[in-house]
Amino acid sequence: MRYVLGVDGGGTITKCLIADDKGNLLGQGIGGPSNYQVIGVRKAIDAVEMSIKEVIRIASIRKAKFEVICLGLAGVGRSIDYEVVGKALKGLNLAQKIILQHDAFIALAGATICRSGVLIIAGTGATAFGINEEGRRARANGWGFILGDEGSGYDIGQKALRAVTRAYDGRGEATLLTSRLIQYFKLKSLLDIVQRVYRDKLSRREIAALTPLVVEAAKKGDRVAILILKEAAEELATSVVAVIKNLKTEKEKLEVAITGGVFKARELILPYFKGRVKEVAPKTRFIEPRFEPAIGAIFLGLREIGVEIDDEILKRVNDSCARLGEIKGNVKK
Amino acid sequence: MRYVLGVDGGGTITKCLIADDKGNLLGQGIGGPSNYQVIGVRKAIDAVEMSIKEVIRIASIRKAKFEVICLGLAGVGRSIDYEVVGKALKGLNLAQKIILQHDAFIALAGATICRSGVLIIAGTGATAFGINEEGRRARANGWGFILGDEGSGYDIGQKALRAVTRAYDGRGEATLLTSRLIQYFKLKSLLDIVQRVYRDKLSRREIAALTPLVVEAAKKGDRVAILILKEAAEELATSVVAVIKNLKTEKEKLEVAITGGVFKARELILPYFKGRVKEVAPKTRFIEPRFEPAIGAIFLGLREIGVEIDDEILKRVNDSCARLGEIKGNVKK
């Protein structure tokens, strides 16, 4: 039996799966964050190693057995990143072959089962990534909170905060978001939000977590909240359209996989988002990702050792997803 | 002879002036940053004390002589701020009386020589503050880089960064800013900007310092750069208009004092800015600040001990500004 490792390294956790060449998942291991842009190479590699050690222990397999490890890591995108991180990974002596990709690449592989398509992720950050039939790749957005993550949860949360200060000053329209934020943060007065944000150092994740408040206000008809979500939908559509244009797939029946917390605001985001994409690429089919990113990494690893991802493999992956519980396979949808 | 101290405490430095009751400035002392929201009360108070000790040493005056100290500190705005900082200042036992204000208050006092009016500051941050004839106060904008400093240098710099990533992705129009930023940061490729911004932790001041690049590109007719500056002008005008409306001075000949690095983009910002304000308050007179904020604090201190800020006082302040060199009085304009 041959085995592959698949690693999904993100800003919060690192997840590692192990699979045999029949598509049976044998366990998962979790490590800390592994975005090396944020925490540095050493800590990122440590997190990867920890997740791998855990899954090897759980699956009771000897390390020497691995033919290939496929990693998709956040913060890896430029050739210099691949060099730096690739070198550090080789030092771990993990497998005969290392496939190193960025996080969106394995996410797309999981979402479309290694077929061409586009993935749009809108969580704390926002990224669009796609591959066409010829293997051409394109990416848009996902530059982070300063250089741009437009349409992300962070973007929405920050706009909510700013809408409320604008309303307070009389620079902008009154909004339900004011009372919602005062309630949410348990403030005596809105002015106390300054302390909550700066002195208490509200994290980007915490700011992104304000998105449900915006959705709630929008559902009650709040114009400011509705506009914030519409702008987010517009930004996300613009990202997908930029990828489609770069791939020159405007006329194809390309699949666009949609994922991330922002899209939970379904009726407030999706119709506008889809409409804008269809204006440019009318045959687009919108799907939910079929498998999670770590399984995308497994698929890529299996293909590397010559295993075709056929129905039989998919059935076994699916069954073991259900068995392992915490892993998201399409069986759970 | 009676003496007053005036302190201007900002995010970068703290400046302290000393004046006698005839308006003669006797020296200035400089301390570190004193925005307590950013560095905490202890360090802020230390910076204030350091600037005071220095000016007392320079002017060779005994501390016991001070009747009043007037401080304008960044980050002080809510009643809780006045309590916390006021208590710490009393512990220093500086003068018989302490006047504690926020930084925009003393800046307006310097700009208009304690008369009613509005001040708009657009540097790294952006704030509008005003007082009407009845003493009613109003403030807008200036909530910081997360909650909103719209129209500030930071806002402009960040929009420039985002315009460039949008252009790179194909999400936005091509712009001269791309080559300007690559040159400015000495990047091999635009992608290296990710490292420059996040791993090297580009400061807010450094991001605000990109404003001149936007101005340069706008002067060459770059549409993206022109739009960024127009949006900033719009935001700054909106801030002033919000203050004017809160003061109910739309119909008066109110002075609006304009200051900060963003306004150096004169012909690109000012006409639009002024036009938008005049739509709401047609009799507005736009001025440059007559004196710097620390002198505003001195004026407020002098008034507190019963000194009227008449032409004679102003002449002496002006003359000593010229003598002290580094202090900005209207004589230098």
Side-chain angles (χ1 to χ4, degrees):
Chain A
M1 193 71 79
R2 297 180 302 164
Y3 299 96
V4 299
L5 283 171
V7 177
D8 172 21
T12 317
I13 64 161
T14 301
K15 184 189 261 195
C16 182
L17 295 178
I18 200 165
D20 65 25
D21 58 5
K22 304 293 177 215
N24 295 299
L25 299 173
L26 306 177
Q28 73 174 340
I30 302 292
S34 53
N35 184 331
Y36 99 100
Q37 301 284 0
V38 180
I39 59 169
V41 176
R42 197 58 260 153
K43 283 189 183 169
I45 298 298
D46 284 352
V48 168
E49 195 176 12
M50 167 138 346
S51 72
I52 293 172
K53 278 188 176 162
E54 192 185 338
V55 77
I56 287 176
R57 188 181 52 77
I58 287 168
S60 308
I61 291 182
R62 276 194 309 116
K63 190 174 158 186
K65 290 240 180 174
F66 297 104
E67 292 211 10
V68 62
I69 172 168
C70 175
L71 307 101
L73 302 185
V76 171
R78 304 163 303 162
S79 55
I80 180 79
D81 302 331
Y82 289 106
E83 267 175 48
V84 169
V85 178
K87 200 177 158 194
L89 285 170
K90 272 187 194 130
L92 296 182
N93 200 18
L94 295 168
Q96 288 165 42
K97 175 144 194 181
I98 296 173
I99 306 173
L100 177 58
Q101 294 289 351
H102 57 72
D103 54 343
F105 190 92
I106 61 162
L108 179 64
T112 63
I113 310 171
C114 301
R115 284 194 299 267
S116 62
V118 176
L119 177 73
I120 173 83
I121 312 171
T124 300
T127 296
F129 174 72
I131 301 180
N132 69 8
E133 291 289 342
E134 290 77 45
R136 183 187 166 99
R137 303 176 182 196
R139 196 167 180 171
N141 210 339
W143 294 81
F145 73 108
I146 295 173
L147 291 168
D149 254 331
E150 288 92 346
S152 65
Y154 177 78
D155 192 25
I156 291 170
Q158 193 188 36
K159 279 182 175 162
L161 291 169
R162 291 186 169 199
V164 161
T165 58
R166 296 184 81 91
Y168 183 91
D169 287 347
R171 286 181 295 145
E173 209 173 319
T175 163
L176 285 179
L177 290 169
T178 302
S179 57
R180 288 287 172 288
L181 282 174
I182 287 175
Q183 219 170 11
Y184 181 82
F185 287 123
K186 299 187 178 68
L187 308 176
K188 281 182 198 161
S189 126
L190 182 69
L191 285 174
D192 294 334
I193 207 165
V194 174
Q195 164 123 11
R196 190 71 194 81
V197 167
Y198 298 109
R199 298 206 69 191
D200 303 346
K201 296 201 195 317
L202 207 64
S203 71
R204 290 193 286 286
R205 194 167 302 275
E206 286 171 305
I207 290 173
L210 301 176
T211 302
L213 275 70
V214 181
V215 172
E216 192 202 329
K219 281 184 179 163
K220 293 205 166 151
D222 186 71
R223 295 205 318 162
V224 172
I226 289 169
L227 186 62
I228 291 172
L229 294 176
K230 196 182 159 189
E231 282 174 357
E234 173 85 37
E235 289 289 356
L236 298 171
T238 300
S239 305
V240 170
V241 165
V243 167
I244 288 175
K245 284 187 172 171
N246 276 329
L247 298 178
K248 302 188 197 308
T249 54
E250 291 95 324
K251 292 176 183 167
E252 295 175 19
K253 284 188 191 160
L254 201 70
E255 283 187 349
V256 171
I258 295 173
T259 187
V262 169
F263 288 108
K264 284 185 188 155
R266 299 190 67 80
E267 66 270 40
L268 292 160
I269 295 263
L270 281 177
Y272 190 74
F273 165 80
K274 289 179 179 174
R276 296 283 287 109
V277 173
K278 287 231 172 189
E279 281 172 22
V280 174
K283 292 184 185 167
T284 300
R285 286 178 297 156
F286 298 96
I287 63 161
E288 285 191 52
R290 295 191 177 80
F291 293 93
E292 63 161 290
I295 293 177
I298 290 288
F299 289 154
L300 293 166
L302 289 173
R303 289 217 309 188
E304 186 65 28
I305 62 168
V307 175
E308 198 198 332
I309 314 298
D310 58 15
D311 288 350
E312 224 168 306
I313 292 279
L314 288 177
K315 187 178 180 319
R316 286 205 203 87
V317 168
N318 235 343
D319 289 351
S320 38
C321 283
R323 206 168 55 242
L324 288 173
E326 284 179 50
I327 303 167
K328 189 187 157 201
N330 62 2
V331 72
K332 293 168 73 186
K333 280 208 219 90
Chain B
M1 193 70 83
R2 297 180 300 166
Y3 299 95
V4 299
L5 282 171
V7 178
D8 173 22
T12 317
I13 63 160
T14 300
K15 184 189 262 194
C16 182
L17 295 178
I18 200 165
D20 64 24
D21 57 6
K22 304 295 177 213
N24 295 299
L25 300 173
L26 306 178
Q28 73 173 339
I30 302 292
S34 53
N35 184 332
Y36 100 99
Q37 302 283 0
V38 180
I39 58 169
V41 177
R42 197 57 260 153
K43 283 189 183 169
I45 298 298
D46 283 352
V48 168
E49 194 176 12
M50 168 139 345
S51 72
I52 293 172
K53 278 188 177 162
E54 193 185 336
V55 76
I56 287 176
R57 187 181 53 76
I58 287 169
S60 309
I61 291 182
R62 278 194 307 117
K63 190 173 158 187
K65 291 240 183 177
F66 297 104
E67 293 211 10
V68 63
I69 173 168
C70 174
L71 306 102
L73 303 185
V76 171
R78 304 164 303 162
S79 54
I80 180 79
D81 303 331
Y82 289 107
E83 267 175 49
V84 168
V85 178
K87 199 177 158 192
L89 285 170
K90 273 188 193 128
L92 295 182
N93 200 18
L94 295 168
Q96 287 165 41
K97 174 144 194 182
I98 296 173
I99 306 173
L100 177 58
Q101 294 289 352
H102 57 71
D103 54 342
F105 189 93
I106 61 161
L108 179 64
T112 63
I113 311 172
C114 302
R115 284 194 298 267
S116 62
V118 176
L119 177 74
I120 173 84
I121 312 171
T124 301
T127 296
F129 175 72
I131 301 181
N132 69 8
E133 291 289 342
E134 290 77 45
R136 184 187 165 100
R137 303 176 181 195
R139 197 168 177 169
N141 211 338
W143 294 81
F145 73 108
I146 296 174
L147 292 169
D149 254 331
E150 289 92 345
S152 66
Y154 177 78
D155 191 25
I156 292 171
Q158 192 187 36
K159 279 183 176 162
L161 291 169
R162 292 186 169 198
V164 161
T165 58
R166 296 183 80 91
Y168 183 92
D169 286 347
R171 286 181 294 144
E173 208 173 319
T175 163
L176 285 179
L177 291 169
T178 302
S179 56
R180 288 288 172 286
L181 282 175
I182 287 175
Q183 218 170 11
Y184 181 82
F185 287 122
K186 300 186 177 70
L187 307 176
K188 280 183 197 159
S189 126
L190 182 70
L191 284 174
D192 293 334
I193 207 164
V194 173
Q195 164 122 9
R196 189 72 194 81
V197 168
Y198 298 108
R199 298 206 69 190
D200 303 346
K201 296 201 196 317
L202 207 63
S203 71
R204 289 193 286 286
R205 193 166 302 275
E206 287 171 306
I207 290 172
L210 300 176
T211 302
L213 276 70
V214 181
V215 172
E216 193 202 330
K219 281 184 179 163
K220 294 203 167 154
D222 186 71
R223 295 205 318 162
V224 172
I226 289 169
L227 186 62
I228 291 172
L229 294 177
K230 197 182 158 188
E231 282 175 357
E234 173 85 37
E235 289 289 357
L236 298 172
T238 300
S239 305
V240 169
V241 164
V243 167
I244 288 176
K245 284 186 172 171
N246 275 329
L247 298 178
K248 302 190 196 309
T249 54
E250 291 96 324
K251 293 178 182 166
E252 295 175 19
K253 283 188 191 160
L254 201 71
E255 283 187 350
V256 171
I258 296 174
T259 187
V262 168
F263 288 108
K264 284 185 188 155
R266 300 191 66 81
E267 64 270 41
L268 292 160
I269 296 262
L270 280 177
Y272 190 74
F273 166 80
K274 289 179 179 175
R276 296 283 287 108
V277 173
K278 287 232 174 191
E279 280 172 24
V280 174
K283 291 184 186 167
T284 300
R285 284 179 297 155
F286 298 96
I287 63 161
E288 285 191 52
R290 294 191 177 82
F291 292 95
E292 62 161 291
I295 293 178
I298 289 288
F299 290 155
L300 294 166
L302 288 173
R303 289 216 309 187
E304 185 65 28
I305 60 167
V307 175
E308 198 199 331
I309 314 298
D310 58 16
D311 287 349
E312 224 169 306
I313 293 279
L314 289 176
K315 187 179 179 322
R316 287 204 203 89
V317 168
N318 234 345
D319 290 351
S320 39
C321 282
R323 205 167 56 242
L324 288 173
E326 285 178 50
I327 303 167
K328 189 188 158 201
N330 61 3
V331 72
K332 292 169 72 187
K333 279 205 223 99

